Amino acid sequence: MKPVILYTAGTPNGQKVSNFTEELKRAYPSFEVEYQAISLGKNEQKEDWFLAINPNGRIPALKDPNRGDFCVFETAAIILYLEKHYDPDHIFSWSDDGDGVDRRSEVTQWLYFVHGGIGPMQGQANHFVRYAPEDIPYGKNRYVTETKRLYQVLDRRLKDHDWLVGDKYSIADINAYPWLQYYKWAGLKDEDVPQSVRDYIDRNWAREAVREGMKVPNGNTDWVEKMRSPDFFEVHAKEAEEKAAQASKWIQDGMKKDRESKA
């Protein structure tokens, strides 16, 4: 079996997939993965060679040499693809037999809840809190408030469950965790996040494979550790401002390239 190739960067969407590939490496010794870092600062994801892999020009993307270099984009789609082809024992999922049918439906529901809800809404909160070139209070309030509401939805589930589906760690959790770990980047403070969700974040972080997956592709979890610090807003505020300024520049450059490609 050849290694699958994951084109990625150190963002929540990228880390969802690298967390799963690290879990698969531990569960199935024959599974291998090769990580290829994509420089968002250089907008490599907008280059023609990458667009041939992912026409949407976003990370992550997967190429599977075991299936004719088949390419997959969109995080939830990549996770479902890896689960289908590389988790035959359903360690991180359920089969289509018996009760597994309902469990698979539950997994899909929570996958789509995060993919269509938390990811986009918290991503927009990140943009208006950290990256927007001008202060737009309406945008901040709209998306931060919606992110908080979605965390309340998680709270209703996690008050009585360790994991999102069937009290078993699954691809539903793999898809959810990274965005939750970065809630402070979206302007949420500890008191804005239900205790059940914070405990859930810690349960995910306690997994060895997750801690390794969160290192991809930069080789460390320094920024994650700072995010987890209870005094993040006080101690790391200046560094956060610098990171946001750098990211804002490449985001604006990327938006410019998108506009130019449409012209």
Side-chain angles (χ1 to χ4, degrees):
M1 186 181 295
K2 298 177 182 178
V4 299
I5 303 169
L6 178 63
Y7 303 88
T8 191
T11 71
N13 286 336
Q15 289 164 336
K16 291 180 185 185
V17 182
S18 58
N19 287 356
F20 192 20
T21 52
E22 289 297 316
E23 293 281 4
L24 288 170
K25 282 168 59 178
R26 285 156 179 75
Y28 299 97
S30 63
F31 177 82
E32 296 183 72
V33 57
E34 174 188 323
Y35 298 120
Q36 182 164 332
I38 299 298
S39 173
L40 301 180
K42 296 178 181 178
N43 274 295
E44 284 185 326
Q45 75 279 11
K46 307 292 184 183
E47 295 179 3
D48 289 342
W49 72 267
F50 185 81
L51 292 173
I53 299 169
N54 179 0
N56 194 34
R58 301 288 189 275
I59 64 92
L62 184 84
K63 182 183 287 185
D64 187 352
N66 300 305
R67 290 175 173 78
D69 285 340
F70 187 76
C71 296
V72 191
F73 67 98
E74 292 296 322
T75 52
I78 295 172
I79 288 171
L80 287 168
Y81 178 88
L82 289 170
E83 179 265 333
K84 177 179 180 179
H85 294 291
Y86 294 102
D87 182 21
D89 297 332
H90 305 291
I91 295 172
F92 305 103
S93 60
W94 283 265
S95 72
D96 286 322
D97 301 326
D99 292 341
V101 175
D102 293 336
R103 291 301 190 199
R104 287 189 70 84
S105 177
E106 287 185 65
V107 166
T108 304
Q109 292 169 54
W110 286 108
L111 273 168
Y112 292 170
F113 168 76
V114 173
H115 192 75
I118 289 178
M121 295 301 103
Q122 190 168 324
Q124 290 294 331
N126 288 348
H127 184 85
F128 285 101
V129 170
R130 300 286 179 183
Y131 308 136
E134 57 186 282
D135 185 28
I136 306 175
Y138 175 81
K140 288 182 181 178
N141 182 66
R142 166 73 178 92
Y143 291 109
V144 171
T145 299
E146 179 63 6
T147 300
K148 291 179 181 179
R149 185 191 72 80
L150 294 169
Y151 277 45
Q152 292 296 327
V153 175
L154 286 176
D155 180 50
R156 289 195 286 274
R157 180 65 171 178
L158 294 170
K159 278 181 178 178
D160 302 314
H161 298 82
D162 284 345
W163 305 108
L164 287 173
V165 179
D167 285 327
K168 170 178 126 174
Y169 178 78
S170 73
I171 57 174
D173 306 295
I174 290 167
N175 188 59
Y177 160 71
W179 276 107
L180 306 180
Q181 184 66 85
Y182 292 107
Y183 64 81
K184 291 176 182 174
W185 195 245
L188 277 68
K189 298 186 177 181
D190 289 340
E191 56 267 29
D192 297 320
V193 179
Q195 185 64 52
S196 68
V197 178
R198 283 185 279 149
D199 290 343
Y200 174 73
I201 291 170
D202 290 342
R203 281 194 293 277
N204 279 271
W205 177 246
R207 299 182 66 87
E208 178 186 2
V210 168
R211 293 195 301 275
E212 287 301 310
M214 295 296 281
K215 292 180 181 179
V216 176
N218 301 321
N220 66 73
T221 56
D222 293 350
W223 189 239
V224 179
E225 297 280 5
K226 290 174 183 177
M227 280 282 167
R228 291 178 56 79
S229 169
D231 55 4
F232 171 79
F233 289 101
E234 293 76 26
V235 176
H236 304 294
K238 183 176 180 181
E239 183 179 2
E241 289 178 3
E242 292 172 352
K243 280 183 173 290
Q246 293 170 359
S248 178
K249 182 180 184 305
W250 61 253
I251 287 171
Q252 298 303 317
D253 289 345
M255 292 170 62
K256 181 179 178 182
K257 286 190 176 183
D258 284 339
R259 291 193 297 269
E260 290 173 349
S261 69
K262 295 175 184 178

